[in-house]
């Protein structure tokens, strides 16, 4: 069974959207396997976003992601990686369709509310980073 990592970013937690977002995943048929609220360290975020190092949005992204608690969760189900990305919506807010989490709740690309792993390999790497206790 496929597993993936989703993270409600700090603005999502501040706005009280954890329940709304989890409800959408559960309604779709995904199961919550593990979850935690943490304020991520810079070290964890630099590993998580290592492929983005050097991009113009990288520094603001790390600063934003470390600005408060996030809700990290491991979700399980058939095609979990693809389904979470589908429900999350496009990265760029101007492309995120209504009906998706970003389309409904985000108005700036950097502060786009939610993260989802982009492949099975990324999901494995990210779950090991955020939930080392599950290994
Ligand atoms: O999160 P997702 O996989 O959809 O997008 P990404 O391309 O892997 O980018 C990671 C995160 O960087 C995004 O979710 C945004 O928060 C941020 N980003 C940004 O601020 N500006 C961009 N042009 C692209 C990404
Ligand atoms: Mg990504």
């Amino acid at each position: 069974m496929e597993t993936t990592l989703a993270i409600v970013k700090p603005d999502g937690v501040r706005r009280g959207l954890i329940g709304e977002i989890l409800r959408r995943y559960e309604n779709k048929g995904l199961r919550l396997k593990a979850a935690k609220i943490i304020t991520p360290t810079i070290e964890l975020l630099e590993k998580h976003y290592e492929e983005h190092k050097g991009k113009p949005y990288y520094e603001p992204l790390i600063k934003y992601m470390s600005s408060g608690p996030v809700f990290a969760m491991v979700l399980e189900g058939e095609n979990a990686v693809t389904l979470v990305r589908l429900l999350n919506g496009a990265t760029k807010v101007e492309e995120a369709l209504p009906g998706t989490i970003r389309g409904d709740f985000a108005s700036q690309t950097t502060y786009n509310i939610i993260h989802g792993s982009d492949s099975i390999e990324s999901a494995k790497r990210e779950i090991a980073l955020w939930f080392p206790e599950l290994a």
Side-chain angles (χ1 to χ4, degrees), residues 111-124:
Y111 313 105
N112 60 3
I113 294 278
I114 189 74
H115 168 81
S117 307
D118 66 8
S119 66
I120 292 173
E121 294 67 38
S122 300
K124 285 196 181 121

Side-chain angles (χ1 to χ4, degrees), residues 76-122:
E76 181 188 73
E78 240 175 84
N79 300 310
V81 170
T82 305
L83 290 182
V84 165
R85 300 271 300 181
L86 192 66
L87 296 182
N88 287 0
T91 306
K92 293 185 178 158
V93 279
E94 64 271 25
E95 292 169 9
L97 298 176
T100 66
I101 293 165
R102 287 167 172 170
D104 290 347
F105 299 111
S107 58
Q108 284 176 280
T109 295
T110 299
Y111 313 105
N112 60 3
I113 294 278
I114 189 74
H115 168 81
S117 307
D118 66 8
S119 66
I120 292 173
E121 294 67 38
S122 300

Side-chain angles (χ1 to χ4, degrees), residues 13-71:
V13 173
R14 278 192 284 268
R15 289 167 59 188
L17 293 172
I18 293 172
E20 166 71 29
I21 290 168
L22 181 55
R23 185 183 62 81
R24 290 176 179 222
Y25 295 146
E26 289 190 320
N27 280 353
K28 190 69 176 173
L30 297 163
R31 288 176 301 281
L32 186 64
K33 297 297 288 180
K36 64 170 100 166
I37 292 184
I38 55 164
T39 301
T41 61
I42 303 287
E43 190 190 3
L44 171 60
L45 293 169
E46 284 178 345
K47 285 182 190 152
H48 178 77
Y49 282 125
E50 66 188 6
E51 67 182 290
H52 300 276
K53 202 166 168 53
K55 296 274 168 55
Y57 57 83
Y58 178 78
E59 298 294 341
L61 175 64
I62 299 289
K63 193 173 169 207
Y64 157 55
M65 287 295 292
S66 62
S67 69
V70 304
F71 183 73

